[in-house]
Amino acid sequence: MRVDVLGGGPGGLYASLLLKKSFPEWEVVVHERDPADNTYGWGVVFSDATLSSLREADRLSHERITDAFVRWDPIDIHYDGEYFRCGGHSFAGIMRADLLSILQERAAELGVELRHGDAIDDPERLREDTDVLIGADGLNSTVRERYEEAFRPNESAGNAKFAWFGTDKPFDVFTFVFRENEHGLWRIHAYPGRKSTFIVECTEDTWRAAGMDEVSEGEALEYFEDLFSDHLDGYELQSKLYAWRNFPTVKNATWSHENVVLIGDAAHTAHFSIGSGTKMAMEDAVALQEAFEEHGSDTRAAFNWYEKERRPRVTGLQEAAERSENYFENVERYQNLEPRRFAFNLLTRSGRITYDNLRVRDPSFVDQFDQWFAAAEGNCSTAVATPPLFKRFPLREVTVPNRTVMTLPPTEVATDGRPADSYLDRLVGQGERGPGLLLTDPLAVTPDGRITAGTPGLYADEHNDAFNSAIGRIRESSPTETVVGASLFHAGRRGATKSREHGLDRPLPEDERWDLFAPSAKPFGPASPTPTAMDADDLDRVRTAFVGAAERADAAGFDHVQLNAGHGYLLSSFLSPLANDRDDEYGGSLENRMRYPLEVFDAIRDVWPDKKPIGVTLQATDWNLNGFKTRESYEVARVLKERGCDLLAIVAGQASVRERPAFDTETLGRFSERFRNEVEIPTLSTNYRTTYDEVNTMVGSGRADLVLFTPENPAPGR
Amino acid sequence: MQVGIGLPNTLDGADRELILSWARWADEGPFTSLGVFDRLCYHGLDPVATLAACASVTEEIELATTIIAGPLRNNAALAKKAATLDVLSNGRLTLGMALGARKDDYDAAGVEFGKRGRLFDQQLAELRDYWEGDDVGPDPVQEGGPTILVGGDSDNTYRRVGRFADGYIHGGGPPRAFARQAERANAAWTECERPETPAVWGHGYYALGDEDVAEKGREYLLDYYEFTGPFAERIADGLLTTPQEVTQFVRGYEDEGCDELVLFPTVADSEQFDLLADTLGDKWDGSDRA
């Protein structure tokens, strides 16, 4: 067998030496464009897990690498004049140049042929003469480009600008510095090594404001030496191949083609803030060696084994890296967070580290965080502070005793709007579990506002009587002082459907339907009945019904109302251009489209007691190019905040059957986080959360104030 | 969790006797469901007709299409066939459906490949209308019609699970891959405010016995998935070839909250049935269901 490796970086060298070690009879040749003593790049970082796989793969090079290592454990965060250290992370760093010489030496010892200064412009000629061609030629891979049709690469660039520098200033641990000046907010990622690495990152706006698109290398160095003089302690910044870049994310549909296989940056990149490309490239090399150990010279089988082994890990890492990149590109959004919370948010940014993980890594950091969190919002500090989820949350004069929210799915066991006893029992059962906030499912404000014939309502006296007694039972049985909220809505054009048990929006047979009302006479789906476009009387009637329902909610003893303006129900269909093509003052511009929902909000706020909070469930997007947009939703959120809205629950989609939603467990959480920090209004996150750890992480990091909680274990009595 | 067994309906050597005996044995336990695969341009038995034959020789076991490519079939005709099968099996049908990835199947059926997503949406919307309406009989035995599972892994899949289905069926792979997708199905379900939780099904392939059997199973998978290119090898690499692998796989799925795991044979031999039954014992036969 003959193996040709294109690219003499750490990935290519490591793959070649591991293969030569496993199969001494194979001929292994590395082709590298640059000379052997090229010193491009600064430090690279490894985690403990990577190191142990390197030890198993080749003990000798592992020993030499670890001898040259700088090890550290904490992460330092400097923000807004405050400083936090969080330990337990275990990193090891080495200069890229040192790593290269160790690997070159080890490869040569094992009999790998290293051809430096050997530029291969057409890999095809190499491929024809060899048994295996390994494309380890980095980000701008010639191999990837040559077989583009097979690999089907996808490349995208990040929004932020970054540049790598080095310095002799000995940073002793991973150090993040966030510093604002007249040009904007700068982020520094610095870490130790024989020389320290010092990466500067900022938004494009900041970069331009500082004139970085025009100044020379020397001026840039001086600018940052001056700006970060307190961290550099008089040391200089140095640069090699000075350049500002936008981070390129590379993915490939497959990593092998015929006898060619990609490893490292040629195959996949991940943002520098989460782990170096070097680490991934070397892990690829280990997997490739294992693949050949498993399948011998059956190249095809080995490549499949390699991809099967690596792809899930790489995908997971790329997803986390994208979250981390997204965080760093949008740090401005978190400047409203208190410094300690900012630090917690930073540490949990990628989703790979949670509240519980941090507690394992550095218990005292988390203890201090809990103490601070407990004290921050006026609660007295205690010797032992509880985790964020147990922190009370004041909304006007109502106090939510913890951060979990429970609800029930829309129920269909009401008669003429009166909730069945079985439903009320379930509501009480949820209350017995002690959520901070217990929300009813959407209660119709009029009979024609029901989804199904069984949707409960709050439009007749017997309805409040039923809820009144249920609330009484909750107050008696809840182990905490659970706040009980009524969710009010009108189904609009999504009404008069069959039970949800077998699917959404399946219209009732004609003889069982009631008339539907909507902004315009546009049916929800192809089989749905056409609603009546609401005239002035209808608008009055429904607004009055909302007010009536709010008064009933108060009379029934609810502490909170949550007005539903999401999911394509009546109020959100006013907001959505997909449902609203009115030509009066309620249609057209966003200002017009939000008028009716705001009128309803104001009318409820007028009668709803001042001391009780009112929330709105708002659509973040219709998931349709012609629908309601996220930037419009921000605008509505801002206006709602001005008018006294206390809590936003962000939902998305279901405004039309023609939607292209993004379904995963994070999407709605990301919306919640953005609204909370951009609009600065408390949010209830409606994404799928099943553990206390997730709630602690979301609340602690300032991504949500309250979290919809769907514990895996079913409710007692169900 | 319960464990079902796949019928050898796409394997060489699946004749009347093997299929019907397979179904009878399975009905005796320990399996809780019989699964079938679907492929038009392939020398296998039709999944729905196969299940109909099995319905007549079994009493207890659930009959499940896991999966069939929905848009290859006319909606009204499929509604009628499924309702018929539900009647003939006395309410034991689960209808697992997905898009199906083979263009040649679509070409052969005369259905436009590029429109299959939209057609599938429409089909899912219409099936229950047929079952509940009076135009196309018979009335299914199960209220509201057979349980519908939707498979796939795109955002549209989860939208369909939330909007139209009763549950999600995963396309195969290790337990961790199943867990990720099942969690997304659960999230979509919650986001769509559907009552309770979606049913989540998984499936796997096995070939128990000596190396020759494993090789035969591998060859079948490489052939069946040949259209996926190099990916076929990865599917073949996932073949469960020892009792240990089977047990680990089943435990893994159970730990990840799977409701029903269907294990498919890759070699058409009655011995394969016995070997799997012996490996699993009675632990997942559904008898401890609440």
Side-chain angles (χ1 to χ4, degrees):
Chain A
M1 286 272 284
R2 177 180 164 119
V3 179
D4 281 88
V5 181
L6 212 60
L13 287 171
Y14 203 50
S16 62
L17 78 83
L18 291 179
L19 286 175
K20 185 70 185 172
K21 190 178 152 200
S22 289
F23 306 98
E25 70 284 9
W26 288 11
E27 194 182 341
V28 182
V29 184
V30 178
H31 309 261
E32 168 58 46
R33 190 176 294 267
D34 290 324
D37 56 355
N38 182 297
T39 58
Y40 171 72
W42 300 99
V44 295
V45 180
F46 296 99
S47 68
D48 262 5
T50 311
L51 288 177
S52 73
S53 71
L54 298 191
R55 185 176 55 236
E56 281 182 28
D58 180 50
R59 190 170 285 274
L60 259 181
S61 58
H62 173 263
E63 264 175 27
R64 294 178 199 169
I65 294 169
T66 47
D67 281 349
F69 261 144
V70 183
R71 289 173 176 280
W72 72 91
D73 172 71
I75 294 175
D76 279 3
I77 299 159
H78 297 266
Y79 171 71
D80 204 16
E82 293 206 39
Y83 159 67
F84 306 96
R85 170 167 285 200
C86 177
H89 299 273
S90 270
F91 296 103
I94 183 171
M95 294 305 285
R96 185 181 152 92
D98 296 351
L99 177 65
L100 282 181
S101 19
I102 291 169
L103 294 177
Q104 283 166 3
E105 192 183 319
R106 177 76 179 131
E109 274 172 27
L110 288 164
V112 174
E113 188 185 337
L114 300 173
R115 295 190 192 160
H116 281 93
D118 180 15
I120 305 285
D121 293 320
D122 185 8
E124 177 62 14
R125 292 202 353 240
L126 209 53
R127 189 189 74 79
E128 283 169 356
D129 294 338
T130 189
D131 297 305
V132 176
L133 174 62
I134 300 177
D137 49 350
L139 176 64
N140 301 310
S141 167
T142 317
V143 177
R144 184 180 70 229
E145 198 178 312
R146 178 67 181 74
Y147 307 106
E148 201 167 24
E149 278 176 31
F151 294 127
R152 281 170 284 147
N154 176 313
E155 295 171 46
S156 57
N159 293 325
K161 289 282 176 192
F162 71 95
W164 287 64
F165 301 102
T167 174
D168 288 325
K169 146 85 199 223
F171 280 97
D172 60 342
V173 306
F174 224 121
T175 305
F176 292 107
V177 181
F178 297 87
R179 159 106 4 119
E180 196 170 17
N181 69 358
E182 66 275 24
H183 299 132
L185 182 69
W186 301 90
R187 329 45 169 130
I188 300 302
H189 311 236
Y191 50 89
R194 189 157 48 75
K195 276 180 192 290
S196 300
T197 304
F198 192 90
I199 306 169
V200 179
E201 191 190 17
C202 62
T203 63
E204 176 120 14
D205 286 348
T206 302
W207 185 70
R208 284 190 196 286
M212 285 297 147
D213 50 338
E214 288 172 352
V215 304
S216 69
E217 177 175 350
E219 287 168 314
L221 289 172
E222 213 171 293
Y223 180 95
F224 294 116
E225 279 164 3
D226 182 50
L227 182 58
F228 295 102
S229 56
D230 53 339
H231 288 283
L232 290 170
D233 297 329
Y235 287 94
E236 287 182 345
L237 284 180
Q238 305 154 17
S239 72
K240 294 174 187 170
L241 298 178
Y242 169 75
W244 287 96
R245 295 189 288 151
N246 291 58
F247 190 82
T249 299
V250 173
K251 295 176 182 176
N252 285 280
T254 181
W255 297 336
S256 67
H257 164 64
E258 307 265 324
N259 57 337
V260 186
V261 63
L262 298 179
I263 66 169
D265 277 359
H268 46 69
T269 61
H271 194 249
F272 55 82
S273 61
I274 188 162
S276 72
T278 306
K279 154 198 143 75
M280 283 167 86
M282 291 179 73
E283 286 171 349
D284 287 352
V286 172
L288 195 60
Q289 177 219 14
E290 286 171 356
F292 277 105
E293 291 262 353
E294 190 86 15
H295 293 283
S297 55
D298 184 349
T299 307
R300 195 65 253 161
F303 288 174
N304 282 315
W305 194 95
Y306 158 70
E307 191 158 343
K308 186 163 69 101
E309 177 67 15
R310 281 301 283 162
R311 189 174 280 277
R313 289 159 207 250
V314 166
T315 305
L317 208 63
Q318 281 188 314
E319 283 171 3
E322 272 167 47
R323 288 193 287 271
S324 181
E325 178 178 348
N326 207 1
Y327 166 84
F328 279 104
E329 289 181 352
N330 293 288
V331 182
E332 281 76 5
R333 189 185 293 152
Y334 309 107
Q335 284 183 279
N336 63 331
L337 296 179
E338 306 84 344
R340 193 176 283 276
R341 205 170 188 182
F342 181 94
F344 183 85
N345 181 297
L346 166 69
L347 292 166
T348 56
R349 70 192 178 279
S350 74
R352 285 162 71 86
I353 296 181
T354 65
Y355 176 90
D356 283 358
N357 299 146
L358 280 181
R359 180 167 283 293
V360 171
R361 285 162 195 241
D362 187 345
S364 75
F365 177 86
V366 177
D367 284 345
Q368 283 170 24
F369 178 76
D370 287 346
Q371 297 249 359
W372 169 83
F373 200 81
E377 287 170 36
N379 296 26
C380 60
S381 149
T382 49
V384 182
T386 52
L389 97 84
F390 295 109
K391 182 72 196 305
R392 302 164 81 79
F393 188 65
L395 284 169
R396 298 200 180 222
E397 288 175 38
V398 170
T399 299
V400 182
N402 64 57
R403 303 309 182 95
T404 62
V405 178
M406 283 186 177
T407 183
L408 289 171
T411 187
E412 283 145 8
V413 287
T415 313
D416 296 327
R418 189 200 181 280
D421 291 339
S422 61
Y423 168 71
L424 295 170
D425 289 346
R426 283 177 67 191
L427 194 66
V428 173
Q430 290 286 68
E432 280 169 5
R433 310 179 74 177
L437 171 63
L438 175 63
L439 279 179
T440 66
D441 50 347
L443 305 178
V445 299
T446 61
D448 55 34
R450 290 173 301 165
I451 304 173
T452 70
T455 300
L458 206 48
Y459 51 81
D461 285 344
E462 53 169 337
H463 304 162
N464 9 344
D465 296 345
F467 280 111
N468 186 267
S469 80
I471 291 168
R473 284 161 63 201
I474 292 167
R475 302 241 187 275
E476 276 168 32
S477 59
S478 169
T480 59
E481 283 157 8
T482 294
V483 169
V484 191
S487 180
L488 300 184
F489 92 126
H490 185 293
R493 61 182 192 154
R494 290 188 74 191
T497 68
K498 293 178 188 166
S499 149
R500 284 194 171 214
E501 198 187 335
H502 298 302
L504 305 185
D505 301 301
R506 301 175 50 241
L508 284 171
E510 248 176 288
D511 54 339
E512 294 173 33
R513 279 178 205 162
W514 53 87
D515 288 339
L516 299 182
F517 293 88
S520 302
K522 300 174 81 174
F524 183 78
S528 308
T530 304
T532 304
M534 293 168 78
D535 62 18
D537 289 345
D538 296 322
L539 294 173
D540 276 347
R541 174 179 65 85
V542 172
R543 192 188 310 103
T544 308
F546 267 107
V547 169
E551 286 169 337
R552 290 182 190 285
D554 185 38
F558 282 105
D559 309 296
H560 171 81
V561 291
Q562 186 73 17
L563 181 63
N564 192 318
H567 284 167
Y569 298 128
L570 183 70
L571 297 181
S572 81
S573 65
F574 270 90
L575 296 172
S576 171
L578 298 173
N580 180 345
D581 60 4
R582 298 174 73 97
D583 50 16
D584 62 2
E585 72 267 35
Y586 294 105
S589 67
L590 175 64
E591 191 191 350
N592 285 359
R593 281 183 280 125
M594 71 165 99
R595 180 164 286 132
Y596 187 67
L598 289 174
E599 280 177 16
V600 171
F601 178 86
D602 290 345
I604 292 182
R605 186 67 268 181
D606 276 352
V607 299
W608 186 244
D610 266 352
K611 60 181 184 181
K612 293 187 185 181
I614 173 169
V616 173
T617 299
L618 182 66
Q619 191 81 343
T621 169
D622 286 348
W623 296 126
N624 180 307
L625 285 176
N626 301 314
F628 183 60
K629 304 280 197 302
T630 306
R631 62 180 156 74
E632 297 183 312
S633 186
Y634 277 136
E635 199 45 47
V636 177
R638 284 192 190 99
V639 178
L640 282 168
K641 181 189 169 191
E642 277 167 26
R643 300 198 181 199
C645 173
D646 302 297
L647 181 70
L648 274 189
I650 304 297
V651 295
Q654 290 189 56
S656 156
V657 291
R658 273 176 285 279
E659 57 176 350
R660 310 204 80 162
F663 273 122
D664 61 45
T665 55
E666 304 291 335
T667 308
L668 294 176
R670 280 196 292 271
F671 277 125
S672 155
E673 180 274 296
R674 286 168 57 185
F675 277 75
R676 182 184 185 281
N677 292 304
E678 298 251 347
V679 184
E680 299 193 46
I681 181 169
T683 58
L684 186 178
S685 171
T686 59
N687 65 330
Y688 185 71
R689 285 289 164 252
T690 59
T691 65
Y692 300 137
D693 185 27
E694 290 169 316
V695 180
N696 279 324
T697 308
M698 287 198 81
V699 172
S701 61
R703 294 186 177 93
D705 297 285
L706 298 171
V707 179
L708 187 67
F709 186 53
T710 316
E712 300 268 348
N713 51 327
R718 270 178 71 180
Chain B
M1 188 178 75
Q2 305 183 129
V3 177
I5 189 166
L7 283 158
N9 74 307
T10 53
L11 302 180
D12 275 340
D15 53 16
R16 172 192 151 86
E17 195 188 328
L18 182 68
I19 293 284
L20 295 185
S21 323
W22 196 278
R24 282 194 199 98
W25 300 327
D27 201 32
E28 298 289 306
F31 301 106
T32 49
S33 63
L34 273 175
V36 277
F37 274 133
D38 184 23
R39 172 71 67 76
L40 200 51
C41 298
Y42 198 78
H43 48 82
L45 302 176
D46 176 76
V48 181
T50 303
L51 285 186
C54 295
S56 67
V57 298
T58 56
E59 293 295 331
E60 300 281 329
I61 198 160
E62 267 189 80
L63 308 173
T65 61
T66 55
I67 50 79
I68 57 171
L72 295 179
R73 293 166 171 80
N74 170 282
N75 298 353
L78 176 59
K80 188 177 187 80
K81 272 191 188 158
T84 302
L85 191 43
D86 201 47
V87 169
L88 294 180
S89 67
N90 196 23
R92 288 183 281 140
L93 176 66
T94 292
L95 197 61
M97 289 190 283
L99 284 177
R102 287 201 56 164
K103 187 161 183 304
D104 55 355
D105 281 356
Y106 277 85
D107 291 345
V111 179
E112 214 175 308
F113 189 68
K115 286 192 179 158
R116 64 200 203 283
R118 261 169 293 163
L119 291 172
F120 193 29
D121 278 347
Q122 205 176 341
Q123 179 171 65
L124 287 164
E126 283 180 17
L127 277 177
R128 286 205 206 276
D129 290 336
Y130 283 119
W131 291 334
E132 288 173 5
D134 297 327
D135 296 341
V136 175
D139 289 336
V141 171
Q142 296 178 65
E143 202 191 320
T147 302
I148 293 181
L149 307 174
V150 168
D153 61 5
S154 66
D155 284 325
N156 272 328
T157 296
Y158 301 107
R159 179 180 57 79
R160 289 181 185 118
V161 170
R163 177 158 284 281
F164 305 109
D166 300 298
Y168 172 71
I169 180 160
H170 180 242
R176 211 152 33 119
F178 164 81
R180 281 172 73 103
Q181 318 268 54
E183 199 178 53
R184 292 178 67 191
N186 273 306
W189 192 266
T190 307
E191 283 181 28
C192 287
E193 301 173 295
R194 295 282 303 274
E196 310 300 333
T197 52
V200 280
W201 289 44
H203 86 256
Y205 293 105
Y206 76 95
L208 290 168
D210 56 22
E211 295 229 335
D212 289 347
V213 173
E215 192 46 41
K216 229 173 136 186
R218 240 183 91 76
E219 276 167 20
Y220 159 72
L221 290 175
L222 290 175
D223 182 50
Y224 194 74
Y225 288 104
E226 198 226 335
F227 73 100
T228 64
F231 192 73
E233 296 241 15
R234 278 199 263 156
I235 296 170
D237 285 343
L239 182 67
L240 308 168
T241 57
T242 64
Q244 289 80 357
E245 282 177 1
V246 170
T247 312
Q248 259 185 0
F249 188 82
V250 171
R251 290 231 172 86
Y253 267 75
E254 182 173 54
D255 291 346
E256 300 297 357
C258 182
D259 292 314
E260 180 97 17
L261 175 65
V262 185
L263 294 175
F264 275 86
T266 50
V267 176
D269 187 335
S270 58
E271 201 192 9
Q272 289 297 311
F273 184 94
D274 298 332
L275 287 170
L276 186 67
D278 291 347
T279 301
L280 293 175
D282 294 334
K283 193 161 183 293
W284 289 281
D285 65 358
S287 56
D288 58 350
R289 262 187 297 176

